[in-house]
Amino acid sequence: MQRGSEDRKRSLSRLRWALQNKETQQQFVRLDGSVRMLIGLFTSSLADMQMEAARCLHELSHSSDPAVAEACLPVTSYLLTYLSGHSVEFTELCLYTLGNLVVESEAVRKQLLPQGIIPALASCIQSPHEAVLEGLGYVLSQLLQAKEAPTEIVPLVLDSSLPQHMLRLVCSGLKSGTGAAVEFAWCLHYIICSHTANAILLSLGAMPALASLLLDLASEISQSTSEGLELLVCPVLRCLSNLLAEETVGCEVQIQDERLLVALFIILQCFFQEHPFIVQECLWLLNNLTADEPFFCSAVLTLDLLPALLQLLPCSQTVSVLVLTVLCNIAEKGPAYCQELHRQAMIPPLLGTLTLTDSEVVGQCLELLHLLFLHWPEAAVDFVSQGGQRALEQHRSTPELQERVRALLDMASQPAGASAVSTTHAALPALS
């Protein structure tokens, strides 16, 4: 290839296959002038040679050896330049090569930032080609997962047009193809987790837009096959959960829509068997929705979603704790809510939960019983009549539960109506 012989393209093609081997990659970058020769062909005016050289660089970028990635430092500026190329395949190759190099080398990331990778990606995100957008999402997601991302990368992304384009592409994912939408949804998740971007994302309408997308996803799942949609559902749920967890002023108000709860339960039931991790994601969101907002607590009860929630109690330790936490959120809202929980036959499943040996699950169950007894003493009477005292007694010897068990036994032994807390209650807030 250095001699420029006529069979140079064939040699380049053979090199590409050879560079799939880790040892060959290391040997190649140690050869004097090898990377320089490859860059020369990559920047040549011969389209077929340029494409083959790009494939060789892409093979090199797969190396997990940082030394190989750093040997590719001289090519980064060219990779950025060619993102505006006219060939979709060539642009896609450049993007995935950049993404792979970014993963393995901090030196590459530090060089790419001043070279203008963020403006280059912001320009590229307007491409009409799904393959290009998916590759771009891959590069950006790798950048945003770097350890220095919160301080060095996220601020640059927020100063660009990328967030609004990402939000648009995520929310149009069902129409334009889910591949790029999935990548950009994870990008939004990584940005939210940096804790510096929520105000900007909320100002762009991220909360209502993502909530609307979740409604569309639930509708799509209920009407047709759900295969592959879990890949988009998961990061969308994460984004909404984390935005709510930040307690940004006014963000809850933007999504006071009971349809969101119905959508969550449709998604729960659809993915329960094949993708149980989605159940946890749904419950995290439900927990954050009900943590401070009476609207959603009321909706769980008035939309008759409690039975479906209680059915999840035996699933797993994590799911049980999350379900009980959601129920605690509802019970904390006061007597009217506790009365309704009691009316909907809460006691039997809680007695079943008390037979478990997991102290975290039982502890959360005890917290729920405490709230029920406190705000609605009739629940304590019902609990005792169904053998609740015996169920509590078996946890007396568990050190971390002893104090709460004693307190509940004391509450349960009080005569009906003896609680200091008034049982007068108002009606549940009306739903729009």
Side-chain angles (χ1 to χ4, degrees):
M1 286 187 290
Q2 287 173 331
R3 286 196 301 271
S5 57
E6 291 182 4
D7 64 347
R8 193 164 48 171
K9 184 183 175 185
R10 189 176 67 174
S11 298
L12 200 54
S13 181
R14 291 172 65 189
L15 175 64
R16 171 163 63 102
W17 290 107
L19 287 175
Q20 293 176 9
N21 179 273
K22 180 180 178 180
E23 291 180 1
T24 308
Q25 292 169 345
Q26 294 168 336
Q27 290 171 358
F28 179 79
V29 298
R30 285 197 294 264
L31 284 174
D32 186 40
S34 59
V35 174
R36 187 169 60 251
M37 176 271 301
L38 200 52
I39 292 172
L41 294 171
F42 179 61
T43 56
S44 74
S45 57
L46 302 171
D48 55 345
M49 298 294 291
Q50 194 178 33
M51 181 65 81
E52 205 59 43
R55 292 182 179 125
C56 288
L57 288 166
H58 183 244
E59 293 298 344
L60 279 177
S61 74
H62 281 295
S63 174
S64 58
D65 184 349
V68 174
E70 286 168 27
C72 296
L73 280 170
V75 81
T76 57
S77 62
Y78 298 109
L79 287 167
L80 291 181
T81 300
Y82 290 144
L83 292 185
S84 57
H86 298 296
S87 163
V88 172
E89 185 184 358
F90 189 65
T91 303
E92 188 183 5
L93 264 176
C94 292
L95 284 166
Y96 281 104
T97 302
L98 280 167
N100 292 340
L101 292 173
V102 158
V103 174
E104 299 301 336
S105 172
E106 185 177 357
V108 169
R109 295 194 297 271
K110 286 191 176 298
Q111 178 166 290
L112 281 168
L113 291 178
Q115 284 180 341
I117 187 170
I118 301 303
L121 295 179
S123 176
C124 196
I125 203 171
Q126 299 181 56
S127 168
H129 302 289
E130 171 74 10
V132 170
L133 293 173
E134 198 166 336
L136 190 155
Y138 172 68
V139 180
L140 197 53
S141 68
Q142 302 310 316
L143 280 170
L144 291 169
Q145 290 178 81
K147 64 180 185 296
E148 70 274 16
T151 55
E152 297 180 26
I153 298 170
V154 170
L156 293 175
V157 172
L158 293 176
D159 283 340
S160 73
S161 61
L162 281 168
Q164 65 195 65
H165 286 300
M166 284 192 286
L167 191 58
R168 171 181 59 81
L169 289 164
V170 169
C171 292
S172 63
L174 282 175
K175 298 173 185 173
S176 61
T178 57
V182 170
E183 292 287 358
F184 290 127
W186 282 113
C187 288
L188 288 173
H189 166 65
Y190 301 136
I191 291 172
I192 292 165
C193 288
S194 72
H195 305 299
T196 58
N198 292 358
I200 292 174
L201 290 176
L202 289 170
S203 71
L204 293 172
M207 190 73 79
L210 291 170
S212 178
L213 174 59
L214 203 62
L215 297 182
D216 292 341
L217 284 165
S219 176
E220 183 77 12
I221 287 166
S222 64
Q223 293 174 21
S224 61
T225 176
S226 63
E227 188 177 352
L229 286 180
E230 75 280 356
L231 300 175
L232 182 56
V233 167
C234 185
V236 170
L237 289 169
R238 287 267 185 101
C239 286
L240 284 167
S241 295
N242 289 330
L243 282 171
L244 283 166
E246 286 302 298
E247 298 180 349
T248 308
V249 175
C251 70
E252 305 90 346
V253 178
Q254 296 180 46
I255 53 168
Q256 280 202 349
D257 187 342
E258 63 197 47
R259 293 177 303 162
L260 189 59
L261 293 184
V262 177
L264 270 180
F265 278 85
I266 288 172
I267 292 168
L268 267 171
Q269 290 169 354
C270 176
F271 292 123
F272 178 77
Q273 296 292 340
E274 292 186 14
H275 306 290
F277 68 94
I278 294 290
V279 174
Q280 294 181 32
E281 300 293 344
C282 287
L283 290 172
W284 269 117
L285 178 54
L286 185 59
N287 172 63
N288 290 351
L289 285 170
T290 55
D292 300 306
E293 184 49 68
F295 175 88
F296 287 109
C297 294
S298 299
V300 169
L301 298 172
T302 56
L303 294 174
D304 200 26
L305 298 174
L306 188 60
L309 194 58
L310 292 174
Q311 283 178 1
L312 298 172
L313 268 177
C315 289
S316 69
Q317 190 263 1
T318 303
V319 167
S320 296
V321 170
L322 285 169
V323 168
L324 291 165
T325 304
V326 169
L327 294 171
C328 283
N329 291 342
I330 297 171
E332 279 176 344
K333 303 302 181 289
Y337 294 85
C338 289
Q339 181 192 20
E340 187 62 22
L341 287 172
H342 178 228
R343 189 188 71 79
Q344 294 197 32
M346 275 282 300
I347 299 302
L350 295 185
L351 286 169
T353 302
L354 287 175
T355 63
L356 302 176
T357 56
D358 186 282
S359 58
E360 188 178 357
V361 174
V362 172
Q364 199 63 32
C365 184
L366 297 179
E367 176 64 24
L368 177 55
L369 286 169
H370 170 77
L371 290 166
L372 286 171
F373 294 178
L374 184 68
H375 292 302
W376 194 250
E378 283 87 341
V381 175
D382 194 13
F383 179 79
V384 171
S385 70
Q386 295 186 44
Q389 284 179 309
R390 288 191 302 276
L392 286 174
E393 289 286 355
Q394 61 188 331
H395 298 290
R396 266 186 181 275
S397 58
T398 308
E400 61 267 39
L401 302 177
Q402 283 175 347
E403 191 174 333
R404 281 179 285 177
V405 167
R406 277 199 300 270
L408 279 173
L409 286 169
D410 289 343
M411 292 177 81
S413 64
Q414 289 184 18
S419 170
V421 178
S422 169
T423 59
T424 332
H425 58 277
L428 292 176
L431 298 174
S432 59

